[in-house]
Amino acid sequence: MARTVLLIVCVGLVLPAVRCYSTGFISEACDSMIPAHGGYSPQTSPSPFNVTSNMTTYQDGDKVTVLLQSTGSTPFGGFMLQAREFGGEIPLGSFKVTGQAAQLLTCNQAPNSTVSHTSKLDKNLILATWTAALSKDPKPIEFRATFVQNYTTFWVNVKSLTLSYSGVFPNITPTSIGTTASTSSGSLTPSMLSITSAGCEVTKVCFSKPLHCNPAVDRGCYFMSASVSPPPSGSSPPSGSVAQFEMKGPSPGYVSFGFSDDRQMGNDDIYICALETNGFVQVQHAFSTGKRKPNTLPLGNVSNVMGSLEDGVISCSFTSMNPISTQQRFTDFNTPYYLLYAYGPTSNVGDIRFHIGDFSSSDKVDITNPQLVSGAGKPQSVKAHGALMLIAWMTMATLGMMVARYLKSLAKGHSPFGKAVWFLAHVSLMSLTVLATSIAFIVIFSYVGGWSGGAHPVLGCLVMILAFIQPLATLFRCGPDHRLRYVFNWLHMLNAVVIKALAVAAIFTGLQLFDNTEDQVLVKVMGGFVGWEAAFYLSFELYTSCINKGKPLLHLLCMLIPGTCVCVRFSLGNLAFLVALLVGIKVA
Ligand code: HEM
Ligand code: HEM
Ligand SMILES: *[C@@H]1O[C@H](CO)[C@@H](O)[C@H](O)[C@H]1NC(C)=O
Ligand SMILES: *[C@@H]1O[C@H](CO)[C@@H](O)[C@H](O)[C@H]1NC(C)=O
Ligand SMILES: *[C@@H]1O[C@H](CO)[C@@H](O)[C@H](O)[C@H]1NC(C)=O
Ligand SMILES: *[C@@H]1O[C@H](CO)[C@@H](O)[C@H](O)[C@H]1NC(C)=O
Ligand SMILES: *[C@@H]1O[C@H](CO)[C@@H](O)[C@H](O)[C@H]1NC(C)=O
């Protein structure tokens, strides 16, 4: 009984401390900077985290950048930072932070004199700016931090190098700070990483698909926001401004955004929030050199990183002082760029893989100017290219070839021009196919403006070349009754089979490029389309061999496949598949 009471008392004492700590509510620890962790004591080993500042001296009113960082691969969950007189106990000056990873606390009645975490999510780097306050007796100072790795493992009194005072010693005593009644830390709302559309258009640029979605409530919302604080006075662009970025979206491995000079992948400055092997979401910086896996870049001046994975939705936020660079240009945040967005899986070592979804902004965006940016669909020219190629190769060419192969006998009649009807139909359908292919070719090359690489363009160019050879070769054929005519017939048919196979492969790879949703519906519909066609080619082959040879056994099968009926059924199915794919391309 007594033991139970003791247990309840213990739990009652420990629990509030745990809860407080995980949200950085640690004003009880203002003086000692030791977290109240159920009696566990600080580590005595050297800390795997360090505190550095960008200055070795300071004057009144100076701004000093302070970094808390992990020196190895272990991240920290909690932290507390103060500036103190060398060897002293009282926090001095005040801090500023950006982002959601850090918050400001009031300690010793001095508001904003202490920085702490807002959640126990993993961090590798925290950036804060400290402003020296006027003091009547300036002394050397140092930055002191506590780092918490987990509940039992933490380091206190991790110190920066000492900053000596380099200013003029004041002879007039200015009004000292900290005399205003303390707004207790209770007024600070602790927050986990919460990314919302609140503030869009007012304080931040928001780029999302669908437009107007709120990542805080819509699970299917792919969201990115940027808000840029003006550069600290005195510093000049391009390195001055601080941008805070947020990303959120459902993804198996990563969400990412990039700055681009065009709307395509290639030469883009990219930030990625990726789920890494340790189960944590981390920020990566990368540069794409084409339509392949981007090269990893050093993170650079990225800090205050927070990431989380919740119910398959990845979120992260971070601040960056890196300029934007697409190699052609190297600029400050206020230069307009197209925004790209992509998401997809990561490999088991945290490397990103090919995206399963992507979109881009329809115009260039200046991220210092708060606005709403919608994710546009696929460019019209790519849609036109795909649609034309589909109509050409899955319907016009198919009909033209079938007419030449199977309907010669049905349309033997001579037209007013003295040619067989089947021949006229074949030639006009095939010429239209070649024409449509050429148009789609010009459309895509003027959009891409070069060679984009991969299997699709190679297959596509082969189709184009062989399709030109076909009518050219026809010009040199010998007369229908010549003894070598069979050579043309064979070459023409062989080439036709090769072109058709390559065109189907080009369409499959084209649709894969085009439809990078997870389930690749368009590719599957195309699979059905090809199956449908193959089944009918087989039926027609069978049917014609029945007619020609009249074998008694096959005759039975022939009864089951009435010719004209098959034609109608084939055409209807062909059109249904074509329409399904065209609609799919239109809405993408
Ligand atoms: C027989 C059919 C097709 C041929 C001959 C063909 C040919 C080509 C060629 C030559 C390119 C090269 C431009 C380049 O990237 O350098 C290309 C690009 C492309 N094609 Fe096709 N294509 C065909 C069907 C399709 C289909 C059905 C789609 C899907 C809707 C499609 C989507 C694309 C896309 C997305 C690109 C790349 C655009 C980019 O780089 O951003 N293609 N195609
Ligand atoms: C991309 C273009 C073309 C393709 C894929 C194609 C395909 C075919 C196919 C599959 C056949 C049936 C061969 C057989 O009897 O089994 C055929 C026959 C024929 N095609 Fe084409 N064709 C194309 C363009 C042309 C053009 C532009 C012409 C004419 C100016 C032409 C003239 C002929 C002729 C004369 C035959 C009859 C051969 C015979 O005596 O059976 N073709 N073509
Ligand atoms: C240190 O950082 C502050 C704040 O960003 C900046 O104003 C100051 O110029 C920096 N000092 C040096 C020596 O880089
Ligand atoms: C602190 O850690 C960072 C990251 O490992 C390292 O680059 C830096 O030199 C360290 N600074 C000090 C003073 O040890
Ligand atoms: C403390 O920081 C908050 C948020 O940055 C700011 O609004 C407030 O004015 C600061 N207070 C003082 C006394 O610096
Ligand atoms: C805390 O971290 C240390 C060092 O990585 C590890 O040995 C220990 O098991 C961890 N404790 C908890 C409660 O996770
Ligand atoms: C970070 O920014 C500072 C100035 O703001 C600059 O001196 C430094 O080179 C930058 N570091 C990196 C890694 O970009």
Side-chain angles (χ1 to χ4, degrees):
M1 181 63 198
R3 256 196 235 165
T4 321
V5 170
L6 213 72
L7 194 76
I8 290 169
V9 169
C10 279
V11 168
L13 283 176
V14 169
L15 263 187
V18 177
R19 211 164 346 108
C20 285
Y21 200 81
S22 69
T23 56
F25 249 131
I26 40 180
S27 43
E28 308 84 42
C30 270
D31 297 334
S32 65
M33 294 181 78
I34 298 175
H37 277 190
Y40 286 100
S41 46
Q43 299 292 306
T44 48
S45 60
S47 158
F49 314 105
N50 71 16
V51 186
T52 46
S53 73
N54 71 342
M55 303 223 217
T56 51
T57 61
Y58 78 99
Q59 303 185 18
D60 294 328
D62 265 1
K63 291 194 182 340
V64 181
T65 299
V66 188
L67 291 178
L68 303 185
Q69 60 189 318
S70 161
T71 56
S73 57
T74 14
F76 51 95
F79 66 89
M80 186 175 188
L81 168 70
Q82 287 181 354
R84 290 187 177 186
E85 190 176 280
F86 179 72
E89 295 304 319
I90 295 171
L92 299 170
S94 64
F95 285 95
K96 271 209 182 93
V97 289
T98 47
Q100 298 182 10
Q103 64 182 339
L104 300 169
L105 299 179
T106 298
C107 270
N108 208 283
Q109 298 196 332
N112 302 352
S113 61
T114 303
V115 188
S116 82
H117 55 275
T118 52
S119 81
K120 57 183 174 188
L121 295 175
D122 279 27
K123 303 155 191 76
N124 281 312
L125 180 62
I126 291 287
L127 178 146
T129 308
W130 180 73
T131 308
L134 293 173
S135 138
K136 49 187 163 185
D137 181 19
K139 296 253 175 66
I141 62 122
E142 63 193 1
F143 295 101
R144 261 195 239 175
T146 298
F147 291 95
V148 181
Q149 188 175 321
N150 61 34
Y151 191 72
T152 55
T153 313
F154 53 89
W155 286 262
V156 296
N157 261 329
V158 182
K159 295 175 184 172
S160 70
L161 296 177
T162 310
L163 279 71
S164 54
Y165 181 76
S166 62
V168 186
F169 285 81
N171 37 24
I172 312 159
T173 327
T175 43
S176 75
I177 58 148
T179 46
T180 45
S182 110
T183 46
S184 91
S185 55
S187 67
L188 284 162
T189 33
S191 61
M192 289 288 281
L193 182 56
S194 76
I195 294 171
T196 87
S197 59
C200 288
E201 277 181 291
V202 182
T203 59
K204 59 190 184 185
V205 169
C206 296
F207 175 41
S208 67
K209 191 178 170 184
L211 184 62
H212 293 304
C213 67
N214 183 355
V217 291
D218 310 331
R219 192 182 176 275
C221 179
Y222 289 97
F223 182 87
M224 173 261 163
S225 82
S227 64
V228 181
S229 329
S233 55
S235 74
S236 64
S239 59
S241 319
V242 180
Q244 199 208 327
F245 295 109
E246 299 174 319
M247 268 187 269
K248 185 169 182 178
S251 168
Y254 70 92
V255 287
S256 64
F257 71 86
F259 298 99
S260 177
D261 285 317
D262 46 40
R263 288 181 52 198
Q264 298 166 58
M265 189 174 172
N267 291 340
D268 317 304
D269 194 353
I270 298 174
Y271 288 94
I272 303 159
C273 271
L275 187 60
E276 301 206 336
T277 0
N278 54 11
F280 293 104
V281 171
Q282 290 291 343
V283 172
Q284 300 174 7
H285 189 197
F287 187 79
S288 67
T289 52
K291 289 184 194 300
R292 60 188 86 95
K293 186 174 166 276
N295 302 327
T296 308
L297 292 180
L299 256 186
N301 278 336
V302 167
S303 57
N304 301 8
V305 174
M306 288 226 322
S308 78
L309 172 69
E310 233 178 296
D311 185 25
V313 179
I314 293 178
S315 314
C316 76
S317 80
F318 58 94
T319 53
S320 169
M321 284 168 60
N322 294 331
I324 303 172
S325 168
T326 54
Q327 279 184 351
Q328 282 104 324
R329 304 193 286 167
F330 188 77
T331 66
D332 195 3
F333 293 121
N334 59 8
T335 313
Y337 285 93
Y338 287 106
L339 293 175
L340 306 181
Y341 198 107
Y343 50 93
T346 42
S347 74
N348 51 11
V349 293
D351 269 352
I352 65 164
R353 286 170 178 270
F354 192 64
H355 40 81
I356 54 172
D358 66 316
F359 52 94
S360 59
S361 63
S362 38
D363 296 299
K364 289 190 176 179
V365 180
D366 168 4
I367 61 165
T368 59
N369 172 24
Q371 59 189 296
L372 267 185
V373 182
S374 70
K378 300 285 174 186
Q380 291 301 331
S381 41
V382 173
K383 290 185 180 183
H385 163 80
L388 265 177
M389 290 297 198
L390 269 170
I391 295 169
W393 291 101
M394 294 311 287
T395 300
M396 282 201 288
T398 308
L399 277 178
M401 292 209 246
M402 282 197 168
V403 164
R405 180 141 184 95
Y406 307 114
L407 301 182
K408 266 189 241 169
S409 50
L410 285 182
K412 240 187 216 132
H414 276 59
S415 69
F417 311 102
K419 296 276 181 190
V421 172
W422 76 263
F423 181 76
L424 281 183
H426 172 73
V427 172
S428 38
L429 281 168
M430 296 323 289
S431 304
L432 272 179
T433 303
V434 175
L435 184 71
T437 310
S438 312
I439 295 174
F441 218 67
I442 294 168
V443 164
I444 197 71
F445 271 108
S446 55
Y447 168 74
V448 175
W451 188 254
S452 69
H456 180 75
V458 174
L459 289 167
C461 285
L462 284 176
V463 169
M464 189 75 252
I465 293 166
L466 295 181
F468 263 124
I469 288 180
Q470 197 76 329
L472 278 184
T474 321
L475 297 179
F476 302 106
R477 71 186 189 275
C478 14
D481 302 323
H482 196 279
R483 65 187 171 86
L484 287 180
R485 172 60 181 242
Y486 72 95
V487 176
F488 163 76
N489 287 357
W490 268 101
L491 285 180
H492 190 78
M493 196 186 84
L494 208 72
N495 197 24
V497 171
V498 171
I499 300 177
K500 175 72 185 186
L502 288 172
V504 166
I507 291 173
F508 268 118
T509 50
L511 288 173
Q512 263 169 351
L513 268 184
F514 185 80
D515 171 16
N516 30 32
T517 55
E518 204 164 355
D519 42 6
Q520 295 240 316
V521 179
L522 291 184
V523 178
K524 287 176 188 159
V525 173
M526 181 62 194
F529 204 162
V530 171
W532 177 261
E533 270 203 15
F536 277 87
Y537 273 118
L538 270 178
S539 320
F540 277 118
E541 281 299 321
L542 224 83
Y543 183 72
T544 42
S545 64
C546 290
I547 299 290
N548 294 345
K549 304 207 177 85
K551 291 226 175 85
L553 217 148
L554 284 176
H555 247 91
L556 214 90
L557 269 170
C558 289
M559 312 291 261
L560 300 173
I561 320 163
T564 28
C565 197
V566 174
C567 263
V568 171
R569 221 178 299 159
F570 171 73
S571 306
L572 287 182
N574 184 291
L575 284 180
F577 275 112
L578 182 70
V579 168
L581 286 175
L582 292 183
V583 168
I585 288 179
K586 179 152 195 321
V587 300

